[in-house]
Amino acid sequence: MSLLPPQILNVIEEFQKLPGIGPKSAERLTFYLLRSQKASPESLGDALQNLRNELKYCNACQMVTLTETCQICADPARDHATILVVEDPLEVVAFEKTSYRGVYHVLHGVLSPIDGMGPEQLKLRELIARMDAGGIKEVIIATNPDVEGDATASYIRSQIGEKARVTRLAHGLPMGADIEFADQVTLREALEGRRNL
Amino acid sequence: MSLLPPQILNVIEEFQKLPGIGPKSAERLTFYLLRSQKASPESLGDALQNLRNELKYCNACQMVTLTETCQICADPARDHATILVVEDPLEVVAFEKTSYRGVYHVLHGVLSPIDGMGPEQLKLRELIARMDAGGIKEVIIATNPDVEGDATASYIRSQIGEKARVTRLAHGLPMGADIEFADQVTLREALEGRRNL
């Protein structure tokens, strides 16, 4: 029998389901919420209860939105013939800080059999439907450069076939990187992708 | 204007109030909850909403409990003349795994002027009341060995005066430690507290 009341154990258990939060961190967060002046379990609880309220996914790109069509897809000034495919909404936020002016498609995950993520769990059918509707010239795949991201990119490549040009983000050295500490895969990609100066 | 709907920003903001969770982790946790099969914002939200429901603090030791008096204070087989003073309930759980058979007093914090924690914010009045009720032979102070813990220990020492013997947990090398890597304060305490073999 535990010394701690069940409602405390329950919060500890729920926190432990989150990535990067182990038993000790979960306990620490729970007791912090119980005695903090800044945070409260009720306001975090409220925010979480409301998270999916009224939340919609854009009927074109699947970005989180409050309207049927997100503000990017609804913007006639954007290049609707170019689709940048990303894993999740935060990556749209990141690319919006660049000069990219095309539109997006949010997969909401990557292929990962261990986590039960197959093609049906991703917003892939919606991407193919957009391709079939026509007018798409290029699909830029921007999944993360890791095993799942690479597998997802290959899968999308095979699904799109000849319907559009399919490209992938360049791999290479990130700005500010130290070549000495770069891993060999990155160095090989940087060499293979070298460009004229 | 943000690309993300307000209810998402709200959860990100609430997560950021927790210790050790910065803007990037807060975003990652929020989007994990939106798409995870294991965790859900509703079940974590529910658990948090219920956290303080029916939660009581033991009328003697201030431990979190569901009853007026916690199971330790209600146990006549324990040594009620010895009180171990700790910062928070998790430390009671830790000491219960040892052979300690006295009772506890949970301060729910330590003196920390920067965080707005003065003597009134701690359960100190309740400790003094227990002393005044009589029958206490020893108070073992088990605040953490850091600046705030030491200051809190000194303050409690001064408040108890001659009402009971006041002791503090031994400082020294933890089991399994490597003397080579021990800091000098720990080594000095270990030398000063040396015992006959």
Side-chain angles (χ1 to χ4, degrees):
Chain A
M1 198 184 81
S2 172
L3 278 169
L4 297 174
Q7 63 269 57
I8 291 186
L9 296 175
N10 197 12
V11 173
I12 294 175
E13 196 182 300
E14 286 291 328
F15 268 134
Q16 279 190 69
K17 293 182 184 168
L18 299 179
I21 299 186
K24 285 281 159 197
S25 313
E27 289 176 351
R28 205 167 48 102
L29 292 175
T30 305
F31 281 94
Y32 179 86
L33 278 169
L34 268 181
R35 76 179 194 210
S36 169
Q37 323 271 351
K38 269 202 311 181
S40 89
E42 291 80 13
S43 62
L44 176 56
D46 261 350
L48 287 163
Q49 296 280 16
N50 288 322
L51 181 57
R52 294 203 238 220
N53 259 6
E54 318 258 316
L55 190 65
K56 292 189 178 76
Y57 294 90
C58 170
N59 54 17
C61 75
Q62 311 299 321
M63 176 67 176
V64 286
T65 169
L66 292 174
T67 46
E68 292 301 316
T69 304
C70 78
Q71 62 198 74
I72 296 170
C73 288
D75 182 352
R78 311 274 308 206
D79 168 13
H80 289 260
T82 306
I83 296 181
L84 183 71
V85 179
V86 295
E87 293 181 16
D88 66 51
L90 284 176
E91 288 154 2
V92 172
V93 176
F95 278 109
E96 282 300 287
K97 292 174 188 153
T98 71
S99 58
Y100 180 70
R101 296 295 293 156
V103 292
Y104 297 91
H105 193 84
V106 184
L107 295 174
H108 293 283
V110 273
L111 293 178
S112 176
I114 316 173
D115 303 319
M117 297 295 279
E120 290 73 36
Q121 276 70 47
L122 305 182
K123 301 292 182 184
L124 273 171
R125 203 178 309 125
E126 291 81 354
L127 176 61
I128 302 304
R130 288 173 81 183
M131 304 300 305
D132 290 340
I136 309 298
K137 292 208 187 83
E138 181 174 356
V139 174
I140 308 170
I141 303 181
T143 50
N144 282 317
D146 52 27
V147 178
E148 289 88 359
D150 285 346
T152 309
S154 302
Y155 185 82
I156 296 173
R157 176 80 204 78
S158 72
Q159 293 293 302
I160 293 178
E162 298 307 309
K163 288 171 189 157
R165 181 181 173 208
V166 181
T167 56
R168 179 117 208 242
L169 288 189
H171 288 180
L173 293 166
M175 294 307 289
D178 207 328
I179 292 179
E180 191 181 340
F181 298 117
D183 65 286
Q184 50 180 320
V185 180
T186 300
L187 283 182
R188 195 185 63 214
E189 298 270 3
L191 266 174
E192 282 176 4
R194 69 193 181 276
R195 297 199 293 182
N196 293 325
L197 252 188
Chain B
M1 196 185 79
S2 172
L3 277 170
L4 297 174
Q7 62 268 58
I8 291 186
L9 296 175
N10 197 12
V11 172
I12 294 174
E13 195 183 299
E14 286 290 329
F15 268 134
Q16 280 189 69
K17 293 181 184 169
L18 299 180
I21 299 186
K24 284 282 160 195
S25 313
E27 288 177 351
R28 205 167 49 102
L29 292 176
T30 305
F31 281 95
Y32 179 86
L33 279 169
L34 267 181
R35 77 180 193 210
S36 170
Q37 323 271 351
K38 269 202 310 180
S40 89
E42 291 80 14
S43 62
L44 176 56
D46 260 349
L48 286 163
Q49 297 279 16
N50 288 321
L51 181 56
R52 296 203 238 221
N53 259 6
E54 318 259 318
L55 190 65
K56 292 189 177 75
Y57 295 90
C58 171
N59 53 17
C61 75
Q62 311 299 322
M63 176 67 177
V64 286
T65 169
L66 292 175
T67 46
E68 292 301 315
T69 304
C70 79
Q71 61 198 76
I72 296 170
C73 288
D75 182 351
R78 311 272 310 204
D79 168 13
H80 289 260
T82 306
I83 296 181
L84 183 72
V85 179
V86 295
E87 294 181 16
D88 67 51
L90 284 176
E91 289 155 2
V92 172
V93 176
F95 278 108
E96 282 300 287
K97 292 175 187 152
T98 70
S99 58
Y100 180 71
R101 295 296 291 158
V103 292
Y104 297 92
H105 192 86
V106 185
L107 294 174
H108 293 282
V110 272
L111 293 178
S112 175
I114 317 174
D115 303 320
M117 298 294 279
E120 290 73 36
Q121 276 69 49
L122 305 182
K123 303 290 182 185
L124 273 171
R125 202 177 312 126
E126 292 81 355
L127 175 61
I128 302 304
R130 289 174 80 182
M131 304 299 305
D132 289 340
I136 309 299
K137 292 209 187 82
E138 181 173 355
V139 174
I140 308 168
I141 303 182
T143 51
N144 281 318
D146 51 27
V147 178
E148 289 88 0
D150 285 346
T152 308
S154 303
Y155 184 82
I156 296 173
R157 178 77 203 80
S158 71
Q159 293 293 301
I160 294 179
E162 298 305 310
K163 288 170 190 158
R165 180 180 173 209
V166 181
T167 56
R168 179 124 206 236
L169 288 189
H171 288 180
L173 294 166
M175 294 306 288
D178 207 327
I179 293 179
E180 191 181 340
F181 298 119
D183 65 287
Q184 49 181 322
V185 180
T186 301
L187 283 182
R188 195 186 63 214
E189 298 270 2
L191 267 175
E192 282 175 6
R194 69 192 181 278
R195 297 198 293 182
N196 293 325
L197 252 188

